[in-house]
Amino acid sequence: TDYGEPHRPRFHFSPPANWMNDPNGMVYHEGEYHLFYQYYPDSTVWGPMHWGHAVSTDLVHWEHLSVALYPDSLGYIFSGSAVVDHRNTSGLGKEGEAPLVAIYTYHNAERERAGHDDYQYQAIAYSHDRGRSWTKYAGNPVLPNNTGLRDFRDPKVSWSEAANQWVMTLAAQDHISFYGSDNLIDWEHLSDFGSDLGSHGGVWECPDLFRLPVKDGDDSKHVLLVSINPGAPNGGSGTQYFVGNFDGTTFTLDPAFASDVTNERGVWLDYGRDNYAGVTWSDVPESDGRRLFLGWMSNWNYANVVPTETWRSAMTVPRVLTLHQTPAGYRVFSQPVAELETLRGSEFAVAEMEGNQPAQPATDESAALAFPAPASAEVKLRYSIEPGSQARFGLELLNEDGEVYRIGYDAAKGHYFSDRRAAGDHSFSDAFTGTFEQAPRISDSGELSMHLLIDRASVELFADGGATVVTEIFFPSTDFNRMRLFAEGEGVRLLDSQGYTLASIWP
Ligand code: FRU
């Protein structure tokens, strides 16, 4: 594969060919970030799941490795996680070396067809050669399903200091179940969380539990990520989160966060339609200290039918998650990892800076007023905005076919927006061009910033330092090759702007 196909991202991870969904088994080990992923090597649509595999030493460039886990008589290999078993608690280590242990869900399609409810259960596999080859544990499954729940999957395992044991965070239909283990093999139910909290527009999937320091404070809190499909604020798949405390047994909401997630309301990690099933890397060294996240850049509403020919879907860029006390309460911010800056090439203009007038109103001459720009780029915009402004402003991407993608901020609504209705092919799904309604601005500062990563067929917006995030994909018939800043209404001024070409990560 040359990664030159139409829509193929240049600096995002995508599989060499065929179908990919969730990131799995993300773990840092001996200088490598592992990325496994839900993979069907025989087709460009979802099918019997495997774990595909890639590694990176810098979170930017990825090396494809061979398929790590194949389906077997126990079922397809669904989503899960991986840990370094430093103290060899599992006894699966060899010659004093800590094994890598993957914890995943088996999905037994035959049992499902036969009408049983217990067709999803948890299993482990281990590796002694830096994840290059894997042995499935002979005693699988390690956590059979005696819950009566069909949806019982996506184990995320981490070491809990409070419990002094391994804790498995598992999606169980409409709630999260926590299990504990001394050895990654024998699991005991600890508690359940969430059946009456957060959003329940769909089934809960792909959870993650980790601790984050509160920025500029001495406190730290636990964050529980929960992906849900459907039920996302702008339709289909999305990831909500809860802020609280996990005491080793039970997750309790922080009192200051509780009112945000009652009455079916959720707080969302990303308001775009294309960031799903994301979780964080295990075992990132303390000397690094970052909580590193990556998600699947698609949506079950249309993932199987998007117009790419040889492969389907990409991951978001790796992001750093941080926890902040904001005017809206505790919020998780996301920012692209700094390593991506190594891809910056030449700087280009996105605006006429003279007089600091940000942009012309949208007119038919849009295209004429645009600046030439690469299809894979980074753009940073900083505005001042007056209280009471009703302006609508942001960035347009344009191509030679008259297609246009728009992303920006609507001050009258207090929300960011993404408009891909005229951005190219959308004939493959009605859900793709549904209206984009929610992406609340959290910050109340008079200075507003938009940091955008654009990669041919996707945009990731990190607004206000990552307080509001919007990730969206689109399919222009030719690459966007111009950009234009637009502004409608009064009370907004561009302070500065930078554009950088971003290099491809593929050889
Ligand atoms: C989320 C998900 C997981 C499941 C996997 C199957 O996108 O539905 O819950 O493990 O995909 O491919």
Side-chain angles (χ1 to χ4, degrees):
T1 174
D2 66 355
Y3 277 75
E5 303 100 320
H7 311 306
R8 182 69 102 156
R10 297 206 173 111
F11 62 87
H12 286 83
F13 179 83
S14 61
N18 294 312
W19 171 268
M20 175 179 82
N21 57 292
D22 314 355
N24 295 151
M26 290 151 64
V27 62
Y28 179 85
H29 179 56
E30 294 183 7
E32 294 178 322
Y33 296 92
H34 288 265
L35 172 60
F36 301 86
Y37 52 90
Q38 288 286 278
Y39 188 43
Y40 185 34
D42 298 330
S43 172
T44 52
V45 294
W46 190 90
M49 285 290 110
H50 301 52
W51 274 25
H53 190 195
V55 287
S56 174
T57 55
D58 62 1
L59 290 170
V60 178
H61 300 90
W62 295 94
E63 179 192 346
H64 294 298
L65 298 177
S66 48
V67 168
L69 295 171
Y70 287 81
D72 59 56
S73 63
L74 289 177
Y76 304 166
I77 317 291
F78 269 21
S79 288
S81 51
V83 296
V84 186
D85 184 9
H86 289 286
R87 292 186 295 113
N88 195 22
T89 61
S90 61
L92 298 170
K94 204 174 85 181
E95 288 150 19
E97 281 199 34
L100 272 177
V101 178
I103 308 94
Y104 59 93
T105 298
Y106 270 119
H107 173 92
N108 191 322
E110 269 168 47
R111 283 194 73 74
E112 182 185 15
R113 273 194 294 273
H116 298 281
D117 285 336
D118 59 350
Y119 54 84
Q120 297 188 340
Y121 34 80
Q122 323 316 319
I124 62 175
Y126 53 96
S127 171
H128 297 141
D129 58 359
R130 299 160 67 236
R132 270 47 178 189
S133 68
W134 291 84
T135 308
K136 288 167 183 156
Y137 176 62
N140 280 336
V142 293
L143 177 57
N145 182 352
N146 52 24
T147 61
L149 301 173
R150 292 150 169 251
D151 299 298
F152 188 65
R153 58 178 180 266
D154 309 338
K156 181 69 160 64
V157 173
S158 59
W159 181 261
S160 165
E161 293 295 341
N164 195 35
Q165 64 173 347
W166 298 102
V167 169
M168 179 193 291
T169 305
L170 193 72
Q173 190 176 303
D174 66 342
H175 62 271
I176 298 303
S177 288
F178 296 102
Y179 291 81
S181 174
D182 290 335
N183 58 8
L184 296 166
I185 293 168
D186 304 301
W187 293 95
E188 170 203 16
H189 181 250
L190 299 174
S191 66
D192 293 330
F193 170 83
S195 52
D196 54 351
L197 293 167
S199 177
H200 284 277
V203 66
W204 283 21
E205 302 184 315
C206 297
D208 195 359
L209 175 73
F210 47 86
R211 196 179 254 289
L212 284 181
V214 180
K215 200 87 182 169
D216 302 324
D218 355 285
D219 215 4
S220 74
K221 310 263 172 212
H222 278 99
V223 173
L224 176 63
L225 302 183
V226 177
S227 280
I228 163 176
N229 176 60
N234 294 301
S237 323
T239 301
Q240 61 181 327
Y241 63 88
F242 301 90
V243 177
N245 178 53
F246 183 74
D247 65 4
T249 308
T250 311
F251 183 88
T252 316
L253 277 184
D254 194 278
F257 193 80
S259 64
D260 295 338
V261 290
T262 50
N263 299 323
E264 280 287 311
R265 279 176 312 141
V267 176
W268 303 88
L269 192 66
D270 189 321
Y271 284 84
R273 287 166 284 201
D274 298 293
N275 178 2
Y276 192 59
V279 289
T280 65
W281 263 279
S282 304
D283 244 76
V284 173
E286 254 168 62
S287 57
D288 178 319
R290 291 177 298 176
R291 182 50 60 173
L292 297 167
F293 168 98
L294 170 151
W296 174 44
M297 200 155 59
S298 196
N299 188 311
W300 284 114
N301 264 350
Y302 42 73
N304 274 286
V305 294
V306 294
T308 55
E309 265 172 37
T310 59
W311 87 102
R312 273 212 174 86
S313 76
M315 297 301 183
T316 68
V317 292
R319 302 172 178 186
V320 182
L321 303 185
T322 48
L323 183 62
H324 300 248
Q325 187 112 55
T326 75
Y330 287 115
R331 288 293 181 270
V332 175
F333 288 19
S334 307
Q335 296 210 275
V337 294
E339 285 90 330
L340 290 163
E341 290 171 17
T342 60
L343 297 175
R344 284 180 185 169
S346 52
E347 198 166 339
F348 63 88
V350 286
E352 208 70 75
M353 291 300 291
E354 229 170 303
N356 282 342
Q357 277 312 304
Q360 302 80 8
T363 65
D364 289 344
E365 291 105 76
S366 281
L369 297 168
F371 288 82
S376 298
E378 176 178 2
V379 172
K380 288 184 133 182
L381 305 169
R382 209 160 54 86
Y383 298 88
S384 70
I385 177 159
E386 285 166 23
S389 167
Q390 308 280 298
R392 196 177 150 87
F393 55 96
L395 181 77
E396 267 179 13
L397 308 180
L398 306 116
N399 66 10
E400 302 300 334
D401 291 337
E403 293 163 349
V404 52
Y405 170 75
R406 281 188 144 203
I407 187 161
Y409 182 62
D410 186 332
K413 294 196 177 124
H415 282 243
Y416 290 90
F417 66 88
S418 163
D419 187 348
R420 60 188 180 190
R421 288 173 298 178
D425 188 5
H426 53 76
S427 59
F428 51 89
S429 162
D430 290 342
F432 193 73
T433 45
T435 43
F436 187 102
E437 278 166 352
Q438 285 188 57
R441 183 169 191 233
I442 304 300
S443 169
D444 58 3
S445 162
E447 206 177 286
L448 181 151
S449 70
M450 298 194 225
H451 183 183
L452 296 134
L453 295 179
I454 302 154
D455 196 6
R456 303 189 77 197
S458 66
V459 162
E460 288 157 283
L461 165 65
F462 304 90
D464 304 309
T468 302
V469 183
V470 175
T471 302
E472 297 251 309
I473 59 173
F474 38 75
F475 301 93
S477 35
T478 57
D479 278 351
F480 290 121
N481 61 358
R482 277 166 298 155
M483 289 179 189
R484 193 183 75 96
L485 297 184
F486 66 92
E488 299 151 4
E490 306 291 310
V492 56
R493 221 162 62 90
L494 183 71
L495 300 175
D496 55 63
S497 70
Q498 280 121 31
Y500 301 97
T501 63
L502 290 183
S504 172
I505 61 171
W506 306 105

